[in-house]
Structures are given as structure tokens and as C-alpha cells.
Amino acid sequence: MTFDLVLNGVRRTVQAAPGDSLMDLLRRLGCKSVKNGCDDGYCGACAVLLDGRAVNACLVFAARAAGHRVDTLEGLSREGVLHPVQRAALDLGAVQCGFCTPGIVMTALDLLARNPRPTEHEVREALAGNYCRCTGYVKPVEAILAAAAEMREAAE
Ligand code: FES
Ligand code: FES
């Protein structure tokens, strides 16, 4: 099937087989930040935004994105300037192997869009579906809280 979607702000006409997942489609389109950690909805490594809400792309049929907006990590930086969540993750040591990082960043964006002033508990709850085997979550949580503070300041 052929359909249109808006990927990282750009309208694209794409092709997918009926059983293709959104994860498979996005990786074929070059979005290699979308990681296949488990292919079964458990790890969050494939998290992307579908109309602004974080979804595990391995659980979503590609066709579900027809006519919708999809955002991945590839669309976050602007002219080489990282998004505050990306920069905080790097600056505060929240990235070790990095396999989980794109999914964590996209999940954080969903959280911060709905709740610009999350508590540490709320950040930890939001990350409950994102497995990280390296960091113990302390640094990613710190980075999201720091980015939230920076984004609030910038919005004032
Ligand atoms: Fe999608 Fe693990 S690859 S949740
Ligand atoms: Fe390695 Fe999270 S940094 S899995």
C-alpha cells in the first residue's frame, strides 16, 4: 500500500506491506534511531511520537501512520543545535551504550509536552516502559529534570 505521512515535519509518500510495523517502515526510511530492542513492546527502544504521543513503533502497524504526524530523534536538532533533552542527556552522562537513548528522549518529550514541571517520581513513571541496562536510570532522570527546567526558563 502507498500512503502519505508527515515524518519529522516533512510530508512523505511511502510504501508498506500490510503487516509492516511502523518501526520497520521508519528504519527503511533511514530513521536508524528507532531501535529494535525486543520487537514485542517491552523495551521502549523503538519509541517515537505519533501525533505527539509516545508509542512503541514495533507494536503499531505502519498503515496506522497514514495521514498522521510521526516524529523521531532524527527530527529534533535544529541546524545542528541539539534539543535540550538531547543536550542534557549528553552533558549529564545519561548516555552509556546509547541503545535506549532515542526511546528515552522521545518518551521524555511526550511527558514534558503534557507536564512541563514533572517530579522525579513522574519522570520515573514515564520511563517505566523504557529499559536501560547501563545507567541505572539516575542520570537519565536527572537529565530530563534539567531539560525540563531549561525549557521552562526558555518559555518564560
Ligand atoms: Fe519496540 Fe522493544 S523494540 S518495545
Ligand atoms: Fe545502554 Fe541505556 S545507555 S541501555
Side-chain angles (χ1 to χ4, degrees):
M1 70 189 79
T2 301
F3 57 86
D4 283 2
L5 54 76
V6 178
L7 176 58
N8 294 325
V10 178
R11 183 166 291 281
R12 305 272 300 259
T13 301
V14 301
Q15 289 192 322
D20 281 354
S21 71
L22 181 58
M23 175 179 73
D24 294 334
L25 174 65
L26 292 171
R27 288 187 60 83
R28 268 204 318 272
L29 293 173
C31 297
K32 295 298 171 62
S33 72
V34 184
K35 305 294 187 201
N36 185 354
C38 68
D39 207 10
D40 214 10
Y42 291 111
C43 74
C46 65
V48 300
L49 299 184
L50 179 59
D51 292 333
R53 297 305 307 263
V55 296
N56 286 333
C58 68
L59 291 184
V60 176
F61 284 122
R64 170 71 179 76
H68 292 270
R69 199 180 87 230
V70 177
D71 293 286
T72 71
L73 194 85
E74 282 79 4
L76 289 190
S77 60
R78 294 276 172 264
E79 294 173 1
V81 178
L82 295 179
H83 186 281
V85 176
Q86 292 175 292
R87 199 174 55 256
L90 287 174
D91 291 349
L92 297 178
V95 182
Q96 289 188 24
C97 81
F99 197 83
C100 68
T101 307
I104 284 181
V105 170
M106 301 316 287
T107 300
L109 291 185
D110 178 4
L111 170 68
L112 297 181
R114 292 178 289 111
N115 178 3
R117 196 180 289 275
T119 63
E120 177 181 337
H121 178 72
E122 288 169 333
V123 173
R124 287 182 177 277
E125 269 190 346
L127 295 184
N130 294 83
Y131 286 7
C132 177
R133 296 299 187 204
C134 304
T135 65
Y137 294 94
V138 172
K139 298 290 184 186
V141 171
E142 285 176 4
I144 293 167
L145 290 171
E150 185 186 332
M151 290 165 68
R152 286 197 304 272
E153 250 178 57
E156 282 171 7

